[in-house]
Structure formats: structure tokens, C-alpha cells
Amino acid sequence: EADIYQTPRYLVIGTGKKITLECSQTMGHDKMYWYQQDPGMELHLIHYSYGVNSTEKGDLSSESTVSRIRTEHFPLTLESARPSHTSQYLCASSEPRTGDTEAFFGQGTRLTVV
Amino acid sequence: KQEVTQIPAALSVPEGENLVLNCSFTDSAIYNLQWFRQDPGKGLTSLLLIQSSQREQTSGRLNASLDKSSGRSTLYIAASQPGDSATYLCAVGANQAGTALIFGKGTTLSVSS
């Protein structure tokens, strides 16, 4: 089983609140990703990081921000949550230096904004 | 722009059947292809990773094949079991730098006992 953890698993929060979704991995992977998945739909990349102090926006526009201060930690923040942010957020990591590039995913955070 | 399509969208079979899930992608210049399993409300579990230079990978009752030139991959599940019920996702890696995986919408499999 992959060593990548997301907290919280479920979150219900009111409109306008600031929230941070946590993602940590203990595999020492350089690359980390955040995906958004609506029910019945494919995963869309919203942020990724090649390593410490590296962050990039993904294909899907998102009002969230990320930071990568430590290799193992890649939190995602919404400054002001809105109902349109209701979705599942999935964090992943991979290690291209090994030549394998297999991606491992966390269990996800299901966010509901009311 | 790379697009990944999975057919069928849903599949119901009785226990014990062998089945094939299909994945196609529009740009054959991929670095790798990965099959995942997703249970309802959960994250993704990696099943098989195929590098672009490989033709297939096997793990237990699962066998995945890759035909880059035709832009296709198949996931073969032998002797299906109720515990195999889940959504199966196909994802392609675009390049060695690994900007990210591009996913299909998945095939939702239901195996009845």
C-alpha cells in the first residue's frame, strides 16, 4: 500500500471559510500532484510540483493555491470556499528519477461547501 | 491535446467470467500507461504500470496490454469475483518529465455472485 496520506477524508464547510487540505507522503518522491474529481467524471490536474519550492498550475483552472516547503508535504488551500468547490480532491506522488514513474494516490478528501 | 477514452462506461457480469476493459488515447507519444482501481468514495489504487517500451504487464488475475501505434490498451481480468467490483481508470503519462497523468472517465464494473 502506498504511503501517501490525505486529511481530512471528509469536510463540510460554510461558504467563505478558508480551508487547507493536507497531503503527505513518506516515500521521498519529488513529484506531487493535486487532482479534482467530480462524481462520474475523470480526474483533472489542478496543481503539481517538481520538488521543494516548485509549484505549477494544472490544466483545470482552480481558485486554490498550493505550497511545497518540504518534500513530503503538499497542502492545498482555498482562501474563500464556495459551493462550486464541492468535489473530491486527490493527491498523488511519483518518483521519475527511478525511471518507473508509477503514481501513487491518497484516499482523497471529499469537500462539501454549503 | 491528449484524450483518453474508456469503453464500456459500465459493465455487469456474473462471477467467474473473463472480461476485457478497453482504453484508447489520441496521441501515441506517451511515456507510460497506468491502470487504477477506484472504490466508491475512495482514492486510486495502482494496478499495473506499462512503460512505452513494453507490450504488457501481468499481476495475478490481471493482464494489461499496450499497443502504442494504435493508441490502445486493454485490461484483462480473469475469473472475475464480486470483490473486483469497482471503477477501473486508465491514465497515460505524457512525457518523461511526468507533468501529470491524463485520465479517462473509467469503466464501472459490477460482478454478481
Side-chain angles (χ1 to χ4, degrees), chain A residues 19-76:
Chain A
I19 58 171
T20 296
L21 308 185
E22 302 287 349
C23 176
S24 295
Q25 50 96 4
T26 59
M27 298 172 282
H29 288 173
D30 279 342
K31 296 215 162 177
M32 296 189 73
Y33 315 85
W34 276 102
Y35 289 86
Q36 185 174 343
Q37 184 184 30
D38 293 324
M41 301 298 290
E42 63 265 57
L43 279 74
H44 289 286
L45 181 72
I46 51 175
H47 296 283
Y48 60 99
S49 167
Y50 290 127
V52 172
N53 294 326
S54 153
T55 61
E56 302 286 344
K57 287 188 179 294
D59 301 325
L60 183 68
S61 175
S62 173
E63 294 166 344
S64 58
T65 59
V66 292
S67 63
R68 190 84 182 279
I69 298 172
R70 302 198 316 264
T71 298
E72 62 271 20
H73 197 211
F74 191 39
L76 181 146

Side-chain angles (χ1 to χ4, degrees), chain A residues 9-10 31 33 35 37 40-43 45 48 50 59 88 90 94 96 99-108 110, chain B residues 1 4 31-32 34 36 38 40-49 51 89 96-105:
Chain A
R9 287 291 315 281
Y10 304 94
K31 296 215 162 177
Y33 315 85
Y35 289 86
Q37 184 184 30
M41 301 298 290
E42 63 265 57
L43 279 74
L45 181 72
Y48 60 99
Y50 290 127
D59 301 325
Q88 172 151 268
L90 292 158
S94 68
D100 199 348
T101 69
E102 183 174 8
F104 297 94
F105 279 77
Q107 287 296 298
R110 183 166 297 280
Chain B
K1 180 185 173 186
V4 180
Y31 185 68
N32 58 26
Q34 199 165 349
F36 294 90
Q38 185 175 31
K42 301 288 183 64
L44 277 64
T45 301
S46 178
L47 297 174
L48 290 164
L49 170 71
Q51 302 290 359
L89 296 166
Q96 188 169 0
T99 49
L101 293 171
I102 298 170
F103 283 83
K105 291 184 179 181

